């Protein structure tokens, strides 16, 4: 399942770090975090999408604690 989310991230470097970390999560097929548009495109396993999204949020907050992902 592919979905788009609005994301608040403070810098391009943090966005790149988040994207790299999320790509390594189990069940994530692909992710693209765009700092300029403040958008995240997530392609993940349909059956566990909400569970994977929770892990994505936790992972992004490890990189940048004040990051927000709007569902």
């Amino acid at each position: 399942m592919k979905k788009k989310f609005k994301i608040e991230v403070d810098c391009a470097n943090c966005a790149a770090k988040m994207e790299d970390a999320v790509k390594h999560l189990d069940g994530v097929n692909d992710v693209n975090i765009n700092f300029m548009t403040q958008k995240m495109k997530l392609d993940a396993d349909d059956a566990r999408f909400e569970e994977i999204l929770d892990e994505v949020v936790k992972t992004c907050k490890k990189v940048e604690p004040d990051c927000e992902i709007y569902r």
Side-chain angles (χ1 to χ4, degrees):
M1 173 185 300
K2 293 181 184 179
K3 280 194 167 183
K4 294 179 185 177
F5 300 91
K6 179 172 175 16
I7 185 171
E8 282 185 22
V9 59
D10 293 338
C11 72
N13 188 41
C14 291
K17 287 180 182 178
M18 287 180 203
E19 186 175 297
D20 187 52
V22 169
K23 282 183 180 180
H24 290 95
L25 293 176
D26 186 42
V28 173
N29 300 323
D30 193 30
V31 66
N32 181 288
I33 299 176
N34 188 314
F35 168 70
M36 294 301 289
T37 62
Q38 299 283 299
K39 301 252 190 236
M40 176 179 71
K41 294 177 189 173
L42 178 64
D43 181 8
D45 184 30
D46 290 355
R48 302 184 317 124
F49 194 84
E50 287 301 318
E51 177 187 335
I52 293 167
L53 185 56
D54 290 339
E55 285 299 313
V56 168
V57 171
K58 288 178 190 174
T59 301
C60 288
K61 288 210 178 265
K62 285 180 186 175
V63 174
E64 186 178 306
D66 60 342
C67 166
E68 289 293 331
I69 297 174
Y70 300 96
R71 297 178 185 208

